[in-house]
Structure formats: C-alpha cells, structure tokens
Amino acid sequence: MAAATASSQLIISKPCSPSRLCPFQLCVFDTKSVLSSSNSRRRHVGGSGVRCMAVGEATTETKKRSGYELQTLTNWLLKQEQAGVIDAELTIVLSSISMACKQIASLVQRANISNLTGVQGAVNVQGEDQKKLDVVSNEVFSNCLRSSGRTGIIASEEEDVPVAVEESYSGNYIVVFDPLDGSSNIDAAVSTGSIFGIYSPNDECLADIGDDPTLGTTEQRCVVNVCQPGSNLLAAGYCMYSSSIIFVLTLGKGVFVFTLDPMYGEFVLTQENLQIPRAGKIYAFNEGNYQLWDDNLKKYIDDLKDPGPSGKPYSARYIGSLVGDFHRTLLYGGIYGYPRDKKNKNGKLRLLYECAPMSFIVEQAGGKGSDGHQRILDIQPVEIHQRVPLYIGSVEEVEKVEKYLV
C-alpha cells in the first residue's frame, strides 16, 4: 500500500477535446484527502484532492532565469570548447589574455597613484616616446602569454622583433598584440585599450632559436608568412579601459561583449552577437591633419559636413584612442578613419597589431574594414610593423569613402 503512505502522487492527464490542441496537464493527487482512514478503498471527494496545472505553465516557471545567474567569460569559453568551436589550447590562451587585461585595467586605474603616468624616457621601434604604462603593460601581456604554455611566438607593437617563447613554456599559437593603445591619453584619464589577434599553429614554419629568444631576419620573415592575411585569424579582440572595463571578442562566429564585474572580479557576458548598424551619421577623423590629406579625402569630409536635403550633417567624434573610437562606432554605426597623409605616406596604424584584428571584429559584426581601396583582411604583410591607412565601420559608410578615393 505504497499509495497510502505517500503524501501525494503525480497523474498526467489531457483534459482537452480532440477538436483543439491544448497542453497536457500535470496533476498532483493528494492521497491523504481521498483515502479512508478506516479502510484502503479510494473514495471520490469531488476535485478537492487533485491540483492540476498545464505542463507548459510549469515549464515556464522552472525555466525562469534567476536574477543572479551570470555567464562569465571562463564559462563561455568552456562552452565554446565543448561545442567544438575552439580547442582547449586556445581556451587557455584567451583566459591568459583576459587575466592580462584585468591586471592592466588595475594599473591604468591606479596610474596616478602609483606614479605610472608620464614618459618612460625610451623610444619604441615606431619612433614614439614610450609611456611608463606602455612598458609595464607590455611586460604584463608578454608574461601572461608566456606562462600560458600555449603560445609559440608573440609579437608586440612595443617590441623591435617578435619573440619566440622559451621551449619549456612553448606552445603553438601565434599572438600579436598592442598592449596599451591610446597610451598618450593616459595622463588625461581618457579611454585606452589592449588589442590582440591570434593565429593558428603552423608546423611548416618553426624557428630554431637556440639560446637566443629574439628572432633574426629569417625568423621574422617566417612570422610574417605565418601571419599573412588577417583572414587567417582564429580570434581577435580588445579590452577597453574606461568607465567600465569592456572585453570584446570574436572567434570567427559573431562578436561577444563582456564587462568586468568589480564585485566578482570576472568578465560577464553582456551582449551576444553584436551587430554594427549598416549606416551611421558619426565620423571620427583627426581633422587637425586636414591640410595634409589629398583632395579626394578633403572633398569627402566636406560633403559629410554638408547638411544636404535632410538638413542634418554628420556628427564629428574623435577621442584619439583607436579602441575608444572603434567601440563607439561598433555600437552606434558610422566610420572611423586614419588615412595616409603627406607626413605618414602609409598611414600611421599598424596592420598586424591594430588594423587586422579590428577589421576581423568589425566584419564579424556585419561591418567593413578597408585601406580605401581593398579589404584590410586581404592585405599580405611584408614587414612586422607595416603601417596601412584604415577606414572602418558601417558597410555603407566605408563603401562611401572608397568611392571618393578611387
């Protein structure tokens, strides 16, 4: 008599007529109400002993998302690994990069307190004065990648040449990065960021470094060959250090945005499959260089300022930090441009460290990256620190400037 000892039983019923579709019902049969205390025979007591509810209603209730349910970057990466999008090695590399970004975020926020503002006193390979935070951020990023044990070659915008990771810590992935883009704005507490791109292992090009971790000319050429077009990128992203710490990542299947939660110290998923608007009314160019541009580009900028029939000209927004300007463009649409000029014949931004990763991201978001004549991701590097012009943002806006530059 198990039914007599149990407090309730489940009964599945379908109360609806065959003429119309309806959900099954989940019914709880209260045995205490319908079993006689004097014998074991069931007796009907109307509907008082049975409570029913539609299965669809019960499912909706159980699937209701908790207000405390958060998906961290770590959990998200593990799900991508389980789905076969990435392997365990790449998961570790990306986790190491996220750790580097957390450390750099902390350094940036405490820069004035820790006396990390101002110039270091050295000049990098680009001929630019290195800020103190440039040097420290580069070391943080490099150390995190080395210690991951999954990177074979790392190339930084701040280093003269790429560096092969010591054999005992060596893996296969090739990572290129700009450890602190927009560092000239650090002293003014303006948005800065880190940019990175990850290329697949290539067994055909393994450098024998011996005791010297610095690659020679032959090995540098080898790295260029491995990293040739940006279309070979497996993953790319950036971390923006601003009022919030934003980590934007693509694995070649959409763009995902994570925000650092200071309460937990974890990046939390805040936007999935981000899409850039197809057109926009914002442009970001350094118009201080206007007189150094060619006439076609000047005409393009002049036309953007013309109100036209709509009576509304484009709005100018220029931060001077690629990550900050790009992130706004990604969200609101429009175009960011750093063209060639009389002073910088090939533009100023680096192909490997800035233009290719950002173009990979924007294309995954439905946008476009161009040098004014061709797709950025199709450009084959001929040197490690190659510079190219960059026009990036909404498809219609980039195609518009390309028509002027023909």
Side-chain angles (χ1 to χ4, degrees):
M1 300 302 295
T5 57
S7 61
S8 64
Q9 290 181 328
L10 294 179
I11 299 174
I12 302 295
S13 68
K14 187 176 182 181
C16 302
S17 65
S19 62
R20 65 188 183 91
L21 294 175
C22 61
F24 281 91
Q25 286 193 332
L26 177 65
C27 302
V28 180
F29 186 83
D30 191 343
T31 57
K32 288 183 178 180
S33 301
V34 298
L35 290 180
S36 171
S37 58
S38 60
N39 56 55
S40 299
R41 290 182 305 138
R42 298 176 188 269
R43 60 187 178 90
H44 294 289
V45 288
S48 61
V50 180
R51 302 191 312 278
C52 298
M53 94 187 312
V55 170
E57 295 172 3
T59 304
T60 301
E61 187 66 26
T62 56
K63 284 187 176 179
K64 189 174 181 181
R65 187 172 177 178
S66 166
Y68 296 97
E69 183 181 346
L70 299 174
Q71 185 168 2
T72 65
L73 175 61
T74 301
N75 289 339
W76 185 84
L77 288 173
L78 290 175
K79 287 183 179 179
Q80 302 309 305
E81 183 185 330
Q82 291 167 357
V85 177
I86 56 176
D87 60 20
E89 309 286 299
L90 189 52
T91 299
I92 294 172
V93 173
L94 289 167
S95 295
S96 299
I97 289 173
S98 71
M99 176 55 70
C101 291
K102 289 179 188 178
Q103 292 184 50
I104 294 171
S106 178
L107 290 168
V108 168
Q109 291 173 333
R110 292 181 51 81
N112 283 297
I113 300 171
S114 304
N115 192 30
L116 287 174
T117 56
V119 177
Q120 173 77 8
V123 176
N124 66 12
V125 67
Q126 317 297 333
E128 302 161 338
D129 289 331
Q130 284 184 311
K131 296 282 186 176
K132 293 177 183 178
L133 266 177
D134 280 326
V135 177
V136 176
S137 298
N138 184 64
E139 186 174 348
V140 167
F141 223 100
S142 297
N143 287 342
C144 283
L145 288 172
R146 284 192 180 96
S147 62
S148 73
R150 300 298 185 272
T151 52
I153 296 172
I154 57 178
S156 168
E157 182 183 284
E158 297 297 328
E159 301 281 356
D160 293 353
V161 296
V163 174
V165 177
E166 185 183 343
E167 188 174 353
S168 57
Y169 294 98
S170 180
N172 291 315
Y173 285 101
I174 297 163
V175 183
V176 295
F177 60 93
D178 181 353
L180 194 61
D181 175 78
S183 58
S184 59
N185 290 319
I186 280 289
D187 296 2
V190 175
S191 299
T192 54
S194 300
I195 307 170
F196 64 89
I198 302 174
Y199 291 89
S200 62
N202 191 321
D203 295 335
E204 297 176 2
C205 190
L206 296 176
D208 181 13
I209 62 169
D211 296 328
D212 184 4
T214 303
L215 302 182
T217 305
T218 303
E219 290 82 3
Q220 284 186 59
R221 192 178 302 114
C222 180
V223 173
V224 172
N225 290 337
V226 172
C227 302
Q228 25 188 327
S231 54
N232 283 355
L233 281 162
L234 287 181
Y238 61 86
C239 188
M240 182 174 71
Y241 314 117
S242 185
S243 57
S244 295
I245 311 302
I246 307 292
F247 189 86
V248 177
L249 175 65
T250 179
L251 303 176
K253 293 189 175 182
V255 177
F256 296 81
V257 182
F258 301 83
T259 304
L260 184 64
D261 187 334
M263 182 180 295
Y264 303 113
E266 292 279 357
F267 283 109
V268 174
L269 181 64
T270 48
Q271 284 179 282
E272 299 182 67
N273 293 308
L274 177 63
Q275 289 288 300
I276 185 173
R278 189 165 179 80
K281 299 292 287 185
I282 298 175
Y283 72 97
F285 286 70
N286 183 0
E287 293 190 72
N289 294 326
Y290 180 88
Q291 295 301 330
L292 301 177
W293 294 339
D294 63 40
D295 292 339
N296 290 338
L297 185 60
K298 289 180 182 178
K299 177 69 166 58
Y300 165 73
I301 294 295
D302 291 341
D303 286 351
L304 293 185
K305 296 177 180 179
D306 185 352
S310 68
K312 294 181 179 179
Y314 278 60
S315 296
R317 299 284 187 273
Y318 187 75
I319 298 173
S321 168
L322 172 60
V323 171
D325 280 313
F326 178 83
H327 189 70
R328 182 197 59 247
T329 304
L330 193 62
L331 295 179
Y332 304 148
I335 185 170
Y336 169 88
Y338 208 113
R340 62 167 50 95
D341 56 40
K342 294 177 181 177
K343 188 170 59 175
N344 300 293
K345 300 293 184 182
N346 297 314
K348 191 174 180 181
L349 301 177
R350 268 65 59 166
L351 175 60
L352 280 178
Y353 313 107
E354 297 163 317
C355 300
M358 290 305 208
S359 294
F360 188 61
I361 294 168
V362 82
E363 286 196 9
Q364 287 298 314
K368 186 173 183 178
S370 170
D371 70 348
H373 303 283
Q374 64 177 321
R375 179 178 178 238
I376 287 288
L377 297 184
D378 289 337
I379 300 175
Q380 180 173 339
V382 294
E383 60 183 63
I384 296 296
H385 294 287
Q386 180 177 342
R387 300 172 190 256
V388 294
L390 178 65
Y391 302 93
I392 194 168
S394 300
V395 169
E396 291 184 11
E397 305 307 325
V398 174
E399 289 178 348
K400 182 177 180 179
V401 73
E402 284 179 326
K403 292 176 181 177
Y404 279 83
L405 299 176
V406 170

